[in-house]
Amino acid sequence: MRHLASIAAIPLCLFHTAIGTVALTYRVADKQFPITAAIVDNGRKLTLTPDTNPLHATQISQLPVRDINSQQQFMDELNKASFGGMVGAGVGAGIGLLVGCVVGCIPGVLIGAAAGGVIGLANTGGQPMLQAAFDYFTGQP
């Protein structure tokens, strides 16, 4: 039996070719615990045993918490959905051009592009973008 407790990850091999790795640590809250790996049965079986002893745990730093206000959240969601808004504006402008030939091409294109852009943004951004817009325009923090 070979114990591999001193390495950070163990490779998974198939026909002597590494196809992946398994980390030999796991996290609980802000502590990292080791996993002991043992290869038995002439290299055919891998046994992973998690160590739950708090004395063997190492303290890890938490990820920094970023304060996101409603304006920044709205701008992030708007950037994600901007392509859908452009496609919607293009489709709306085309439909407005066709419909507007009866009344006037320029007003039809402008109204169609505006309506298509709003519909495209709402459909692409979905509920997260609509919630971010609501929070931003109602003055939520």
Side-chain angles (χ1 to χ4, degrees):
M1 178 185 337
R2 292 188 305 171
H3 287 283
L4 306 171
S6 62
I7 59 175
I10 188 165
L12 301 176
C13 298
L14 180 66
F15 300 115
H16 302 291
T17 303
I19 58 171
T21 59
V22 175
L24 293 178
T25 59
Y26 69 98
R27 291 182 180 184
V28 175
D30 57 349
K31 297 200 184 309
Q32 187 168 347
F33 293 88
I35 297 174
T36 304
I39 298 175
V40 295
D41 195 19
N42 200 16
R44 296 175 142 304
K45 184 176 179 184
L46 171 66
T47 303
L48 300 174
T49 308
D51 187 354
T52 58
N53 187 349
L55 298 176
H56 297 156
T58 57
Q59 186 77 21
I60 55 174
S61 63
Q62 293 290 336
L63 294 174
V65 177
R66 205 175 68 153
D67 184 26
I68 298 178
N69 59 18
S70 61
Q71 179 185 9
Q72 185 176 3
Q73 181 70 27
F74 177 57
M75 291 301 155
D76 289 345
E77 293 295 330
L78 198 58
N79 283 335
K80 291 178 195 173
S82 62
F83 181 73
M86 289 187 298
V87 170
V91 171
I95 293 172
L97 179 65
L98 293 176
V99 173
C101 286
V102 176
V103 179
C105 291
I106 294 177
V109 168
L110 293 177
I111 293 170
V118 170
I119 292 169
L121 279 175
N123 285 334
T124 307
Q127 182 60 35
M129 197 205 70
L130 294 175
Q131 183 64 45
F134 178 79
D135 290 345
Y136 175 63
F137 289 117
T138 58
Q140 300 294 322

